[in-house]
Amino acid sequence: MIGGLFIYNHKGEVLISRVYRDDIGRNAVDAFRVNVIHARQQVRSPVTNIARTSFFHVKRSNIWLAAVTKQNVNAAMVFEFLYKMCDVMTAYFGKISEENIKNNFVLIYELLDEILDFGYPQNSETGALKTFITQQGIKSQTKEEQSQITSQVTGQIGWRREGIKYRRNELFLDVLESVNLLMSPQGQVLSAHVSGRVVMKSYLSGMPECKFGMNDKIVIDKQGKGGTTDDTGKSGKQSIAIDDCTFHQCVRLSKFDSERSISFIPPDGEYELMRYRTTKDIILPFRVIPLVREVGRTKLEVKVVIKSNFKPSLLAQKIEVRIPTPLNTSGVQVICMKGKAKYKASENAIVWKIKRMAGMKESQISAEIELLPTNDKKKWARPPISMNFEVPFAPSGLKVRYLKVFEPKLNYSDHDVIKWVRYIGRSGIYETRC
Amino acid sequence: MPAVSKGDGMRGLAVFISDIRNCKSKEAEIKRINKELANIRSKFKGDKALDGYSKKKYVCKLLFIFLLGHDIDFGHMEAVNLLSSNKYTEKQIGYLFISVLVNSNSELIRLINNAIKNDLSSRNPTFMCLALHCIANVGSREMAEAFAGEIPRILVAGDTMDSVKQSAALCLLRLYKTSPDLVLMGEWTSRVVHLLNDQHMGVVTAAISLITCLSQKNPDEFKTCVSLAVSRLSRIVSSASTDLQDYTYYFVPAPWLSCKLLRLLQCYPPPEDGAVKGRLVECLETILNKAQEPPKSKKVQHSNAKNAILFEAISLIIHYDSEPNLLVRACNQLGQFLQHRETNLRYLALESMCTLASSEFSHEAVKTHIETVINALKTERDVSVRQRAADLLYAMCDRSNAKQIVAEMLSYLETADYSIREEMVLKVAILAEKYAVDYSWYVDTILNLIRIAGDYVSEEVWYRVIQIVINRDDVQGYAAKTVFEALQAPACHENMVKVGGYILGEFGNLIAGDPRSSPLVQFNLLHSKFHLCSVPTRALLLSAYIKFINLFPETKSTIQEVLRSDSQIRNSDVELQQRAVEYLKLSSIASTDVLATVLEEMPPFPERESSILAKLKKKKGPGAVSVNELEEGKREGGELNGGGGERGGDNSTIAASNASTPSPSADLLGLRTGPQVSAAPPSAGSLLVDVFSEAGVNDDGFLRDLEPPTESSDSLLAEGPGDSDSAPPSAVSEDAAPPLPESNELLNKFVCKNNGVLFENQLLQIGIKSEYRQNLGRMYLFYGNKTSVQFVTFTTTVSCPGELHPQLNVQAKPVEPLIEGGAQVQQVINIECLGDFCEAPLLNIKFRYGGALQNLSLKLPVTINKFFQPTEMASHDFFQRWKQLSQPQQEAQKIFKASHAMDTEVIKAKLLGLGMALLENVDPNPENFVCAGVIQTKAQQVGSLLRLEPNAQAQMYRLTLRSSKDTVSKRLCELLAEQF
């Protein structure tokens, strides 16, 4: 039960303040500002307790969103709600920024009234919200429309309205993954995991029933045991072990629990079908090999090699390697074969950017760093080298096996739906120690 | 930063600062700083030929970054380089960086010291000043080591510029504060003192801070500064506001200097030289006069400066405390401020008045403002001012206005801030006790206090009210009635229940006559609160119940029922359970006599320092207790101890003081507690002994605190034989009147001890300690002044009336005619017994207290048995003697009912206390006691034999005394019959 919700700008000025419960006083707004935003020491915990009141905050660019409560609530629920709130706002007016919030404050209050009721989260489905919270002022809706909205919002399938019609039934499916890695200088993987999302955009008529299939190890093994399918041999070793996953509310969980099949009536438009995480058999797209040599007290030689480790036919994009430099760096000379490299003093790092790189290639950079002798005995902590990239495959190995659409009432079948599938693998925190 | 505003202002720095200011977020700021740091690093590394200007600029940027809270680990060398520059701004920035950033253990310190040394020896006054400022700002030990010798030389050198002298004085002060051992004044002392005569006011102002600090440490060396300071002060005070030009601040001449001079004078006693003193008094009068003049400016600075001097002058007047005229004038001046618009002024006035109130000269003057202060307490908006007002009320309270002040404080308490409530409660409790003229008022006040602010009433407060009620029999009945009424309120505070339980348990019988407060009603009332109370209170209530059984046998069955109930006897709290079990058993097994002994009324508590006062002191903390408070404390302590001096509140402290200072007075208090009959003496039945020894052990803190130090047989046995003889009676009187043949009961309480409190009233306490050998005795009397006012023309005379004269020779040493408030004096009386006697000598005391003549006559506790010499003898010897003394007039016999429990140990102790030898295995009946002794008089020796036959069934004793002289037998028999 969220007692109230505040939005601050980077200076700590309150942009939005909505209090749902009486136990939250007016001073709660200031308490958060004083103790968190303006705190002398940066507050790193997302949950702060001030005077028996709990504040949960997330930060989006320079905007602080804080939910406040006096009760012992489920913190995960609150954060889930805050993220949803961010999604909803993004869906309505794009980037969350001070200006956007100021321009849309009426809308935000309207949204807050709808998605939280006496502090209990309600429907936060953008698609559904957009049907009755619009930016176009009051459009006099007919009685039927109103009752339709009511029945939809309060009904069993709150995320989809009836009577949707498209001339072309289309479906877009994106598998978005981010790879996180920490590697030792010797190339040993210290920790690695992939967190992925399946994002769909559906433009389907009527109330279709969809079924989504992927190379989930449990499903494949089950089928393999039954020996009924013929593709066991093909996909057997390509099946992946999913550590945990969460679904959009449209997915029938009972069916997933019993048969592990993902079937659902999709919302209209864009939504996130599922989220998952894997830790086993991850394809690491890049390998970073660092070489750091200290030459006396005033010089440092750095050589970094990166190797791409995927099919040569694929192209990685937006590659950026960030090599931290010591705090007493006084000058840097860089030589690189490919791409552009630059010493960024404001970030204390050498940033090396490569636009494109094919699989199974390697590239290298070498740099000479001059140091200023200091009277500080502290040794440089050597932060890890980090990397950013984008590759056109799923590093977890996830494959979409099928996505079937059934709409018995209307006269189109699975074959008539145009389906698009795309895989994008991005780097999360992809670091190698040096 | 002055350099920026100058012509060659650093543009790069200004740009950088404005960049930082414009950063939208913390991250952006960090980025900008990182960029700048990288830039500075590359500059400092690369081109060696960095000119002074850029060096200064970058060092400045580093300093700014450091002040933003980032670590700086380079640039120190560049800053040190700047020190050797010849340009003022560069040197200044260098020194600034170093005083902010260089820590004392840096390797660079040698280089820095070198640069400072160069600057100090240069002839350029600005460079010297910069160097001095740097030394003072760093102020480390290393700096002190390097420059402590140099700076005094600069300070007193004739050719030093005035501005440098100022800096040097302040720099030296700083070094002295950090490492006093390194700054050795010695030869410079007189020359430093003469800086007070300097032409330049700035030098004087700087020097006086140094002198004040130094003279606090070694006042004697700087004594000469007093006359100089006075003359300087008089010159300033008498000057017109235009005379001092630069040093006139809003029409007030040199206010800072004046304040400092006045403060310096506060380090010393009033000047002895009449001329100097006259001049000073004149100055102070002028300052007070000036306060009356209309302000020359409406600006707040003007009045602030004026008032600063005035308050400092008033502190000095209070410090001297010898000029009644000035004190009264100061008080009147403060009285005006009490109603001033400015809150700060009111605060200061109240604070100063607190100290004024403790001075005897101005106490009365302070009292005239009572209405204003009470008004301030009620209406003041600022809590700190209200607190001061409460302090002042406390300080100005005396006997005349105590009732009014206590009533006001009580009424304020209902609305007082929570933060000061506890302190207020303590103050009310102390005032009520200290100035209680009649104790029923005291009891009313404290009960009110508990009612209004029960939560803030600490344990000490209600311990105290119980101690007082127990020690004063005149108030007990009233107290019982009042608590009974108070307890009838539907919701009363737990502390009230505690007081109620204790007092009704002790003195419930005094109000039992009234059918509205019959025993059963009392019990039911108490028991109705029982379940709402915490465990300690319940334990106390259980003790009160068992006392009820003793007081009112008719409640026995009801109470036993309660004790027997599961909620008591099976209570999960072990303390409550144990009490229930033991009390239940005690009430069913013991006979009424045993019960009566075990549950006897609590004996009076030994007087000690009021625990409340100790608590108040603790609460205020040593720093916060004003002088006044401390004095009050002393006074209070003395008074309550009957002149025993200050003593800790608990027994262990008393014991400790006994051990460390075997002075008679310490002994007195240690012993006095001895022979009192306690609530828990070892009793007849072995079961009961057991039960009680355990109960005693398990008594929790608060009860133990209440109970007087347990005493009894042990200490008696220890003391008795040591002092050859013990005397029984000590006549005690309550009124100041002719000799008081006071109650025999009181006399009997003191029958077996040589030491104790002979007499006590609100003014005076008389303690006694005596020792006897053969026919000689020596008695120490301790007269304690319980009030805060001295007793004058204090005289005592000891006389032996009538026929006693030829029997007893008493010589009293003269006693000092003046007893200060809270003090104690001692008198020695030598006694020689010439023949046997029956009467006791009379002690007459006369003194003046506040003008009224007080006259008291008491009986000195000298009785014939004091001159007993114990005689050991075997069985047959005893009976032979016994038979020899068989003439009827030689024997005195009495058969009487036991008034105390018939406990063998106690009886033995009493007989030993009498001074005779207790003979074991003489009488065929082991229950009987026989004793033998010889009374030593100058004329003759009188052998005496005693036989005491207790009859446990009938609760009777038969006492037989035989001695060679009939009067002796009779007298001893009379004395002893009351003892058992």
Side-chain angles (χ1 to χ4, degrees):
Chain A
M1 300 96 269
I2 295 166
L5 198 132
F6 309 124
I7 300 179
Y8 303 86
N9 68 4
H10 73 281
K11 288 184 209 146
E13 293 164 347
V14 188
L15 304 178
I16 301 285
S17 156
R18 180 75 173 85
V19 174
Y20 292 93
R21 285 170 170 255
D22 292 340
D23 56 358
I24 302 302
R26 312 203 105 240
N27 52 3
V29 191
D30 302 321
F32 182 77
R33 177 185 34 241
V34 171
N35 290 294
V36 180
I37 301 180
H38 291 166
R40 272 200 206 136
Q41 233 98 61
Q42 195 191 351
V43 176
R44 300 182 66 187
S45 160
V47 184
T48 317
N49 254 298
I50 306 160
R52 306 174 67 86
T53 312
S54 310
F55 292 86
F56 306 79
H57 75 263
V58 296
K59 222 182 150 193
R60 282 283 179 279
S61 59
N62 273 331
I63 298 296
W64 300 74
L65 265 89
V68 51
T69 180
K70 282 222 163 180
Q71 276 146 326
N72 186 13
V73 297
N74 180 349
M77 182 273 278
V78 177
F79 282 109
E80 184 61 31
F81 170 78
L82 287 176
Y83 291 137
K84 262 279 160 357
M85 177 76 202
C86 292
D87 290 347
V88 169
M89 288 199 288
T90 320
Y92 267 95
F93 49 77
K95 193 171 169 275
I96 297 178
S97 66
E98 184 176 349
E99 202 179 318
N100 276 344
I101 287 176
K102 279 181 177 166
N103 291 339
N104 292 289
F105 78 94
V106 181
L107 171 76
I108 292 172
Y109 277 114
E110 220 176 317
L111 284 171
L112 284 175
D113 279 343
E114 198 55 48
I115 60 178
L116 268 183
D117 192 357
F118 194 46
Y120 293 95
Q122 307 291 312
N123 194 354
S124 57
E125 189 59 44
T126 320
L129 287 171
K130 276 193 171 163
T131 58
F132 53 93
I133 298 178
T134 57
Q135 283 166 286
Q136 275 95 39
I138 302 159
K139 194 171 66 185
S140 70
Q141 281 149 330
T142 60
K143 263 251 163 74
E144 292 91 78
E145 274 175 323
Q146 276 175 18
S147 67
Q148 202 187 343
I149 288 171
T150 313
S151 74
Q152 185 211 328
V153 171
T154 56
Q156 214 180 3
I157 304 168
W159 56 88
R160 188 177 180 94
R161 65 194 165 89
E162 292 198 39
I164 299 172
K165 277 213 175 72
Y166 287 103
R167 191 181 296 164
R168 252 155 73 101
N169 289 305
E170 259 184 317
L171 207 143
F172 298 86
L173 194 145
D174 289 350
V175 177
L176 306 173
E177 291 193 340
S178 69
V179 208
N180 298 283
L181 169 78
L182 183 63
M183 191 178 254
S184 76
Q186 288 76 33
Q188 198 179 355
V189 176
L190 300 173
S191 88
H193 74 268
V194 171
S195 59
R197 309 188 299 146
V198 177
V199 176
M200 285 182 77
K201 243 186 243 174
S202 64
Y203 303 103
L204 300 171
S205 315
M207 288 295 244
E209 174 84 33
C210 297
K211 211 170 170 194
F212 174 67
M214 57 180 181
N215 56 344
D216 181 0
K217 199 170 186 179
I218 295 170
V219 179
I220 304 287
D221 285 358
K222 211 196 277 171
Q223 286 169 346
K225 232 178 248 168
T228 47
T229 49
D230 52 342
D231 57 357
T232 320
K234 265 196 277 172
S235 57
K237 66 175 180 195
Q238 281 177 17
S239 64
I240 61 159
I242 288 178
D243 284 15
D244 51 54
C245 53
T246 56
F247 293 102
H248 189 267
Q249 57 169 333
C250 64
V251 175
R252 291 195 183 83
L253 291 178
S254 56
K255 238 178 179 169
F256 180 76
D257 286 342
S258 58
E259 303 166 23
R260 218 169 158 90
S261 73
I262 303 165
S263 67
F264 54 97
I265 296 171
D268 199 36
E270 188 174 345
Y271 59 97
E272 185 185 285
L273 180 68
M274 74 178 284
R275 262 187 248 174
Y276 59 91
R277 204 169 63 91
T278 70
T279 48
K280 285 211 184 74
D281 300 327
I282 295 165
I283 306 157
L284 296 173
F286 286 96
R287 170 89 209 278
V288 179
I289 304 157
L291 265 172
V292 179
R293 204 159 66 89
E294 284 179 45
V295 187
R297 277 192 70 201
T298 59
K299 208 168 168 191
L300 204 65
E301 281 181 2
V302 181
K303 198 167 112 183
V304 177
V305 181
I306 58 168
K307 283 184 182 167
S308 57
N309 184 25
F310 45 86
K311 272 189 248 166
S313 56
L314 297 176
L315 272 180
Q317 285 182 305
K318 300 177 189 169
I319 300 154
E320 184 185 290
V321 181
R322 186 174 287 264
I323 304 159
T325 56
L327 291 173
N328 53 347
T329 304
S330 58
V332 178
Q333 276 97 48
V334 204
I335 307 160
C336 60
M337 312 287 160
K338 216 175 164 201
K340 282 178 190 161
K342 204 176 167 190
Y343 167 59
K344 287 204 171 167
S346 61
E347 288 153 47
N348 283 323
I350 300 168
V351 181
W352 175 27
K353 285 182 177 168
I354 304 171
K355 279 204 180 115
R356 246 174 250 106
M357 189 166 173
M360 304 317 259
K361 288 259 169 64
E362 73 172 65
S363 184
Q364 111 170 21
I365 181 173
S366 54
E368 265 183 28
I369 301 171
E370 283 173 70
L371 304 175
L372 188 76
T374 63
N375 46 5
D376 227 3
K377 303 282 184 300
K378 268 188 297 188
K379 234 186 149 224
W380 182 44
R382 291 206 183 188
I385 295 171
S386 63
M387 195 174 170
N388 289 317
F389 54 81
E390 204 178 290
V391 287
F393 63 93
S396 68
L398 182 133
K399 289 262 167 12
V400 177
R401 285 172 59 218
Y402 56 83
L403 181 64
K404 292 173 188 155
V405 181
F406 309 99
E407 175 45 288
K409 284 183 193 149
L410 296 175
N411 58 349
Y412 70 93
S413 71
D414 188 31
H415 303 291
D416 302 329
V417 179
I418 304 159
K419 297 169 191 166
W420 306 85
V421 178
R422 179 163 69 154
Y423 298 93
I424 300 173
R426 290 200 182 96
S427 57
I429 297 167
Y430 201 87
E431 293 178 334
T432 307
R433 290 189 181 154
C434 58
Chain B
M1 231 163 276
V4 181
S5 60
K6 280 191 186 153
D8 64 343
M10 295 168 279
R11 218 182 104 70
L13 178 67
V15 168
F16 173 60
I17 291 175
S18 74
D19 276 2
I20 294 275
R21 296 258 156 88
N22 290 335
C23 280
K24 277 258 158 78
S25 64
K26 193 100 189 153
E27 291 77 29
E29 185 184 309
I30 290 170
K31 275 190 176 172
R32 181 70 186 87
I33 286 169
N34 279 338
K35 195 175 154 198
E36 194 60 46
L37 283 177
N39 176 31
I40 298 171
R41 281 195 299 260
S42 67
K43 285 288 188 319
F44 279 175
K45 175 217 58 172
D47 356 311
K48 292 274 183 250
L50 212 57
D51 63 345
Y53 167 76
S54 9
K55 226 183 253 174
K56 176 181 76 174
K57 184 175 74 183
Y58 293 130
V59 166
C60 241
K61 281 181 181 177
L62 284 179
L63 195 54
F64 184 76
I65 293 170
F66 176 77
L67 294 178
L68 283 177
H70 300 265
D71 274 340
I72 296 296
D73 51 6
F74 64 99
H76 300 79
M77 200 58 214
E78 282 71 18
V80 174
N81 287 345
L82 282 177
L83 294 187
S84 51
S85 159
N86 272 329
K87 279 201 185 134
Y88 170 75
T89 53
E90 286 165 22
K91 211 184 251 295
Q92 182 208 26
I93 295 294
Y95 273 123
L96 186 62
F97 185 89
I98 280 161
S99 43
V100 173
L101 260 162
V102 172
N103 46 4
S104 52
N105 50 12
S106 164
E107 305 150 357
L108 291 169
I109 209 90
R110 213 167 34 82
L111 284 172
I112 296 167
N113 281 356
N114 215 17
I116 292 176
K117 232 170 222 148
N118 285 340
D119 278 340
L120 282 185
S121 52
S122 78
R123 308 307 300 163
N124 186 333
T126 37
F127 290 178
M128 286 173 91
C129 278
L130 278 178
L132 286 168
H133 293 169
C134 181
I135 296 170
N137 279 332
V138 175
S140 65
R141 211 174 156 76
E142 288 74 19
M143 286 282 183
E145 272 164 8
F147 301 107
E150 187 108 346
I151 294 166
R153 195 184 49 75
I154 297 174
L155 179 60
V156 296
D159 56 349
T160 315
M161 299 264 295
D162 287 336
S163 58
V164 180
K165 269 190 193 168
Q166 288 179 49
S167 299
L170 293 175
C171 181
L172 192 58
L173 173 62
R174 161 76 198 212
L175 292 186
Y176 183 75
K177 278 179 178 165
T178 49
S179 24
D181 52 319
L182 292 176
V183 182
L184 304 166
M185 288 313 287
E187 64 230 75
W188 313 111
T189 307
S190 67
R191 297 173 74 179
V192 168
V193 170
H194 276 90
L195 285 175
L196 286 178
N197 270 340
D198 201 285
Q199 292 297 312
H200 193 267
M201 294 288 269
V203 175
V204 184
T205 314
I208 198 162
S209 297
L210 176 67
I211 293 170
T212 308
C213 184
L214 290 170
S215 61
Q216 273 162 355
K217 289 274 160 59
N218 12 319
D220 289 340
E221 289 178 35
F222 287 87
K223 228 183 216 156
T224 45
C225 70
V226 173
S227 60
L228 288 177
V230 170
S231 64
R232 182 50 101 165
L233 182 67
S234 81
R235 257 180 285 157
I236 295 171
V237 168
S238 57
S239 69
S241 56
T242 48
D243 286 0
L244 296 166
Q245 283 166 359
D246 281 356
Y247 288 86
T248 298
Y249 178 78
Y250 288 89
F251 307 104
V252 183
W256 280 276
L257 183 52
S258 312
C259 284
K260 282 179 175 176
L261 284 166
L262 287 163
R263 210 167 279 173
L264 173 63
L265 290 172
Q266 284 174 49
C267 301
Y268 290 94
E272 281 139 21
D273 184 354
V276 177
K277 187 168 185 185
R279 211 163 165 199
L280 179 58
V281 168
E282 210 173 280
C283 285
L284 293 172
E285 271 171 355
T286 319
I287 292 171
L288 287 173
N289 285 341
K290 274 193 181 168
Q292 296 296 335
E293 286 169 14
K296 292 197 178 96
S297 157
K298 282 208 174 111
K299 288 268 172 59
V300 69
Q301 290 93 331
H302 172 69
S303 57
N304 277 351
K306 218 164 83 171
N307 292 334
I309 299 174
L310 180 62
F311 274 109
E312 218 45 76
I314 290 174
S315 318
L316 184 63
I317 294 169
I318 295 169
H319 171 74
Y320 285 165
D321 196 14
S322 58
E323 302 284 331
N325 174 33
L326 285 176
L327 279 164
V328 171
R329 280 194 62 187
C331 182
N332 293 340
Q333 185 59 51
L334 291 176
Q336 289 179 10
F337 285 149
L338 282 184
Q339 310 200 352
H340 203 275
R341 241 168 358 95
E342 273 282 312
T343 312
N344 290 337
L345 267 187
R346 291 198 300 270
Y347 180 94
L348 289 170
L350 287 168
E351 199 180 27
S352 303
M353 266 211 181
C354 265
T355 35
L356 268 181
S358 62
S359 163
E360 54 178 316
F361 300 113
S362 53
H363 188 78
E364 288 304 316
V366 171
K367 271 165 67 183
T368 56
H369 299 291
I370 182 165
E371 291 304 330
T372 325
V373 180
I374 287 171
N375 199 33
L377 189 65
K378 284 178 181 161
T379 57
E380 198 61 63
R381 273 192 302 182
D382 189 319
V383 61
S384 58
V385 183
R386 285 200 296 273
Q387 166 119 41
R388 289 293 142 248
D391 285 351
L392 179 53
L393 275 185
Y394 176 74
M396 68 163 65
C397 189
D398 65 9
R399 208 166 287 278
S400 66
N401 54 14
K403 278 200 176 177
Q404 185 193 5
I405 286 178
V406 169
E408 288 297 343
M409 285 174 101
L410 263 182
S411 71
Y412 170 62
L413 196 56
E414 297 194 47
T415 53
D417 307 81
Y418 293 101
S419 52
I420 63 170
R421 274 197 184 184
E422 187 176 358
E423 206 186 314
M424 290 283 294
V425 166
L426 289 174
K427 283 181 170 162
V428 171
I430 290 168
L431 291 179
E433 180 187 334
K434 196 158 137 191
Y435 299 116
V437 189
D438 90 63
Y439 278 86
S440 54
W441 173 75
Y442 170 72
V443 171
D444 277 345
T445 307
I446 298 295
L447 291 183
N448 247 334
L449 198 64
I450 296 176
R451 190 177 52 74
I452 294 170
D455 281 339
Y456 298 90
V457 174
S458 52
E459 302 275 275
E460 285 84 356
V461 174
W462 75 264
Y463 288 173
R464 194 70 195 149
V465 67
I466 283 173
Q467 286 180 5
I468 285 178
V469 168
I470 288 192
N471 288 7
R472 308 261 155 205
D473 20 13
D474 46 340
V475 77
Q476 287 161 357
Y478 180 78
K481 184 164 154 284
T482 325
V483 290
F484 178 75
E485 281 161 8
L487 280 177
Q488 277 169 330
C492 51
H493 193 270
E494 192 163 334
N495 281 339
M496 183 69 93
V497 179
K498 286 181 186 168
V499 176
Y502 204 99
I503 290 183
L504 290 182
E506 292 293 334
F507 310 114
N509 55 336
L510 299 177
I511 56 165
D514 191 329
R516 282 168 301 174
S517 54
S518 71
L520 219 52
V521 174
Q522 286 184 31
F523 171 73
N524 287 335
L525 181 63
L526 277 184
H527 199 57
S528 67
K529 315 283 182 200
F530 185 87
H531 301 282
L532 306 170
C533 296
S534 61
V535 168
T537 312
R538 289 187 190 195
L540 186 147
L541 284 178
L542 287 181
S543 299
Y545 295 171
I546 187 72
K547 290 228 163 189
F548 266 47
I549 294 186
N550 176 40
L551 290 178
F552 319 115
E554 65 266 34
T555 59
K556 186 168 175 173
S557 58
T558 323
I559 291 171
Q560 281 182 334
E561 200 59 43
V562 168
L563 291 176
R564 203 175 289 127
S565 71
D566 277 357
S567 59
Q568 310 303 348
I569 212 157
R570 287 163 204 258
N571 195 297
S572 59
D573 187 273
V574 73
E575 172 69 26
L576 289 182
Q577 192 186 75
Q578 185 160 8
R579 282 192 193 217
V581 171
E582 285 172 1
Y583 290 161
L584 185 60
K585 214 68 187 155
L586 177 66
S587 68
S588 47
I589 290 180
S591 66
T592 45
D593 292 306
V594 173
L595 264 185
T597 316
V598 172
L599 303 169
E600 205 190 5
E601 192 177 296
M602 292 296 282
F605 286 87
E607 290 294 353
R608 2 165 140 135
E609 182 188 4
S610 167
S611 49
I612 314 177
L613 202 71
K615 166 120 181 167
L616 181 67
K617 275 188 227 162
K618 202 168 86 193
K619 192 170 166 48
K620 288 223 155 178
V625 182
S626 64
V627 180
N628 178 31
E629 208 74 59
L630 280 174
E631 280 172 5
E632 292 278 312
K634 263 186 236 150
R635 206 178 292 159
E636 182 86 356
E639 165 184 324
L640 291 172
N641 274 323
E646 257 192 296
R647 195 154 290 146
D650 59 2
N651 308 332
S652 58
T653 331
I654 293 182
S657 74
N658 268 342
S660 56
T661 55
S663 74
S665 86
D667 231 353
L668 172 64
L669 271 159
L671 290 174
R672 190 172 50 183
T673 58
Q676 289 159 346
V677 183
S678 84
S683 62
S686 62
L687 168 75
L688 279 177
V689 173
D690 248 349
V691 162
F692 259 89
S693 59
E694 268 190 48
V697 168
N698 286 323
D699 249 353
D700 46 315
F702 76 98
L703 268 182
R704 213 176 304 135
D705 230 14
L706 271 178
E707 272 154 14
T710 29
E711 55 1 89
S712 82
S713 40
D714 285 351
S715 58
L716 254 187
L717 286 168
E719 296 302 329
D723 306 340
S724 54
D725 279 320
S726 305
S730 55
V732 173
S733 65
E734 280 299 330
D735 303 312
L740 306 153
E742 255 294 277
S743 55
N744 278 324
E745 299 95 86
L746 272 172
L747 176 143
N748 289 328
K749 279 192 180 175
F750 297 98
V751 79
C752 290
K753 55 180 179 177
N754 277 341
N755 313 307
V757 178
L758 177 62
F759 171 80
E760 184 172 9
N761 66 8
Q762 283 134 22
L763 307 173
L764 181 70
Q765 188 190 48
I766 305 175
I768 196 162
K769 178 178 162 61
S770 48
E771 52 196 38
Y772 296 92
R773 186 153 310 236
Q774 307 281 353
N775 63 330
L776 299 175
R778 173 171 293 170
M779 186 178 273
Y780 301 92
L781 290 172
F782 301 94
Y783 304 99
N785 181 349
K786 283 172 68 177
T787 66
S788 50
V789 184
Q790 54 181 210
F791 295 160
V792 290
T793 62
F794 188 90
T795 51
T796 63
T797 46
V798 181
S799 58
C800 297
E803 59 180 10
L804 189 60
H805 187 60
Q807 294 163 346
L808 204 63
N809 186 4
V810 182
Q811 289 175 327
K813 298 251 168 81
V815 65
E816 283 169 49
L818 194 113
I819 308 182
E820 292 293 340
Q824 190 189 48
V825 297
Q826 178 187 341
Q827 183 180 29
V828 182
I829 298 172
N830 289 324
I831 304 158
E832 187 185 13
C833 180
L834 303 170
D836 65 291
F837 61 97
C838 297
E839 294 298 315
L842 288 179
L843 170 69
N844 184 269
I845 303 162
K846 287 182 188 158
F847 60 93
R848 281 184 183 277
Y849 163 70
L853 181 68
Q854 308 284 328
N855 188 354
L856 296 170
S857 286
L858 303 166
K859 278 187 178 178
L860 275 184
V862 181
T863 46
I864 186 72
N865 68 320
K866 295 284 179 190
F867 304 95
F868 254 124
Q869 193 82 336
T871 318
E872 293 289 345
M873 54 178 75
S875 178
H876 70 275
D877 287 340
F878 179 82
F879 285 109
Q880 196 184 348
R881 293 271 182 93
W882 186 262
K883 283 187 192 115
Q884 281 169 2
L885 303 167
S886 54
Q887 290 168 25
Q889 69 269 27
Q890 286 177 327
E891 181 183 282
Q893 189 171 63
K894 230 174 191 174
I895 298 170
F896 54 91
K897 193 156 173 61
S899 51
H900 303 285
M902 296 174 92
D903 181 339
T904 320
E905 291 304 317
V906 173
I907 294 170
K908 273 188 189 171
K910 285 185 178 170
L911 288 172
L912 281 170
L914 189 68
M916 299 173 89
L918 183 64
L919 305 178
E920 305 277 354
N921 304 325
V922 170
D923 200 291
N925 182 353
E927 295 291 305
N928 293 351
F929 303 92
V930 291
C931 302
V934 179
I935 291 175
Q936 306 272 359
T937 70
K938 197 181 181 190
Q940 59 183 140
Q941 299 192 339
V942 184
S944 304
L945 301 174
L946 175 149
R947 189 175 193 200
L948 182 69
E949 295 152 282
N951 181 341
Q953 261 83 47
Q955 293 286 309
M956 301 283 272
Y957 290 101
R958 184 168 68 186
L959 174 70
T960 317
L961 266 153
R962 289 186 179 189
S963 68
S964 48
K965 224 173 164 188
D966 52 350
T967 47
V968 175
S969 305
K970 227 189 208 151
R971 178 64 184 151
L972 284 174
C973 196
E974 278 168 22
L975 287 172
L976 270 179
E978 303 299 329
Q979 291 304 308
F980 300 102

